[in-house]
Amino acid sequence: MEHEITVAPGVRLWAEERGDPRAPALLLVMGANASGLTWPEALLDALARRHRVVRYDHRDTGRSTWSFDEDPYPLTALAADAVRVLDALGIDRAHMVGMSLGGTLTQLLLLDHPERVATATLVGTTPLDGGPADGPGIAPELLALWETMLEPRDRDAELAWRVRHWRVLNGGESPFDAEEFRRREERIMAHAGRHENPAAHARADQGGLDRAGELAAVTTPVLVVDSPADPVAGTASARHLATLLGNARLVTVPGLGHALPEAIAPRLAEVILDHTTTPGGG
């Protein structure tokens, strides 16, 4: 079932839910500049066997309103959007799974709206303090690619750029199926009705994110997924994040990078469901 949800004046978000509407709700919060269709279908189907699963497009992605150039917003607005999605769907409390920036937003929700979060799962997520000072940092190849993010490209060139981007994000420990990600990005372009990437979230104000000192007070059960091949937020970042949180455990998914191929879906679904369906969140 699809929905169109108003979250602010002139701003509407596309959302979709699947699974038993009577089951415990689970909200998927995707990363920066990424449509909700970025989540692997196999992962959604596996989670929907136990949950009412909701995914949505952030502002300036997919079928949601694209308005950043006319009306810029801070990244913290995306956390408020997640709460408004729950409100619109009549969900008082949900398990939340955040990927990358989605995990950053989920950290904010743990601090500001703990009553809305049953459990949290953080995947490929940088801590609110940016990560350990002695960590490896973001891979240079990825930083070089990001420097070209805002360059104008036609549809074919944009598609090729996105597939190359996913190849780098995948890391070097698991096979990369370029055709799988090409097909996924073609679906995302068709879903959005456009191919441009405004990189709105890369340009948005990051004020209000430096709140790592508050994470120790979090009592909500949190699962931090260690993605050892991740060129953005690898093992050092995951371990650091787990130590900052007041009620967290760490699970490693071997071979996982910062991309979510269909092949990783069964193992990722297993660790998420173990967390969301175990009393006390594991």
Side-chain angles (χ1 to χ4, degrees):
M1 181 183 299
E2 297 185 14
H3 305 274
E4 191 175 75
I5 297 169
T6 298
V7 296
V11 179
R12 291 183 285 188
L13 304 186
W14 173 88
E16 177 199 67
E17 58 179 303
R18 68 180 70 181
D20 187 342
R22 299 164 298 180
L26 186 151
L27 182 68
L28 295 170
V29 187
M30 186 31 72
N33 307 307
S35 162
L37 268 64
T38 307
W39 295 102
E41 291 296 316
L43 177 65
L44 268 75
D45 288 340
L47 297 176
R49 297 188 188 108
R50 305 290 290 274
H51 290 286
R52 174 190 179 186
V53 178
V54 178
R55 64 173 169 179
Y56 67 100
D57 290 338
H58 291 298
R59 306 181 190 203
D60 289 277
T61 73
R63 290 185 189 169
S64 293
T65 301
W66 292 44
S67 60
F68 184 84
D69 288 334
E70 296 78 32
D71 187 16
Y73 49 82
L75 286 178
T76 53
L78 302 181
D81 287 351
V83 175
R84 294 188 180 104
V85 169
L86 296 180
D87 290 343
L89 298 181
I91 298 171
D92 294 330
R93 196 163 178 253
H95 300 278
M96 295 191 182
V97 180
M99 172 70 195
S100 192
L101 174 65
T104 301
L105 303 177
T106 301
Q107 290 175 68
L108 295 179
L109 296 174
L110 286 166
L111 296 177
D112 295 333
H113 300 279
E115 75 285 355
R116 309 300 297 270
V117 188
T119 69
T121 301
L122 309 177
V123 185
T125 301
T126 302
L128 291 178
D129 65 359
D134 58 351
I138 297 173
E141 183 181 4
L142 186 56
L143 291 173
L145 192 56
W146 284 351
E147 289 181 358
T148 68
M149 186 181 296
L150 290 171
E151 293 178 0
R153 289 178 284 270
D154 63 22
R155 183 187 181 280
D156 289 344
E158 175 64 19
L159 183 58
W161 188 94
R162 293 188 192 186
V163 173
R164 181 185 174 197
H165 188 219
W166 285 121
R167 183 185 296 276
V168 176
L169 289 172
N170 191 65
E173 295 186 14
S174 295
F176 178 73
D177 185 343
E179 285 307 307
E180 174 189 335
F181 282 88
R182 179 179 298 276
R183 290 192 299 270
R184 188 181 304 179
E185 287 296 340
E186 287 176 336
R187 289 195 302 272
I188 289 170
M189 288 180 179
H191 169 72
R194 59 198 302 173
H195 71 271
E196 308 98 314
N197 178 4
H201 306 154
R203 295 184 285 144
D205 182 357
Q206 297 187 22
L209 300 183
D210 188 13
R211 299 177 60 187
E214 301 173 50
L215 294 174
V218 170
T219 59
T220 305
V222 181
L223 175 68
V224 178
V225 176
D226 169 25
S227 44
D230 193 331
V232 178
T235 296
S237 185
R239 289 177 176 172
H240 181 64
L241 177 56
T243 64
L244 290 174
L245 286 155
N247 185 13
R249 63 190 181 99
L250 184 71
V251 172
T252 299
V253 175
L256 180 61
H258 205 76
L260 297 176
E262 294 286 346
I264 208 72
R267 176 55 182 153
L268 189 56
E270 180 183 2
V271 301
I272 292 171
L273 290 172
D274 178 66
H275 182 57
T276 61
T277 60
T278 301

